[in-house]
Amino acid sequence: HRHAFPVLADLGLRALVFVITDYVGRENAWDVGYGAPPLKHLDWDQLAYWQERGIEVHAHGSSHARLTTMSDAQLQDDLSRSREAIERRLGKSPLAISYPFGIVDSRVMRAARSAGFQLGFGGPSHDGSDPMALGRLAVYPWDPFAIPAVMQAGPLGALARWGARTANRISVVTPWLREQRAERGQ
């Protein structure tokens, strides 16, 4: 929001941002910092400002939990709460969800459709054959492959996709690590 959003808005380019609604305006306590300081998520006023300038706000769930491990009731609650919070706070219902950790299965896709989402973004291995399982390639601070064309094809693209898949798989353990730290009082 400090660097990319102003440039995109000034050029009249649209972009999407996916928010974890339980953490809007709060630090990323859902994540394990791995030594990095916690990051603060945008607040509702910031999201409203950028939405007015062409940055679309969509869902990344309510809690950033791994959706495939939730019960049906928990899953529907998480998805519905995230969609409703965005609509209530920003006046526009999100059409898309980016599944936490890029992990999705057919049950989660059905639940997302049922909650009113029309597009779903999974991990880098999704081929886009279903609008609820579109591929996404995360960009990480350590990612040396910042050129989109390189990320799409050839050996460097394969390496970038492998790195994104690996990072997503490792990040799945963050809820467990957070629980372990809480039990030890850290």
Side-chain angles (χ1 to χ4, degrees), residues 120-148:
F121 293 88
S125 61
H126 290 92
D127 64 4
S129 59
D130 184 325
M132 296 306 292
L134 300 171
R136 83 172 193 245
L137 187 59
V139 177
Y140 295 98
W142 61 82
D143 212 341
F145 309 112
I147 304 168

Side-chain angles (χ1 to χ4, degrees), residues 17-20 57-61 82-83 86 94 96-99 117:
V17 63
F18 294 88
V19 298
I20 306 164
V57 179
H58 295 278
H60 196 45
S82 67
R83 193 163 190 275
I86 293 168
I97 181 161
S98 178
Y99 307 108
F117 294 106

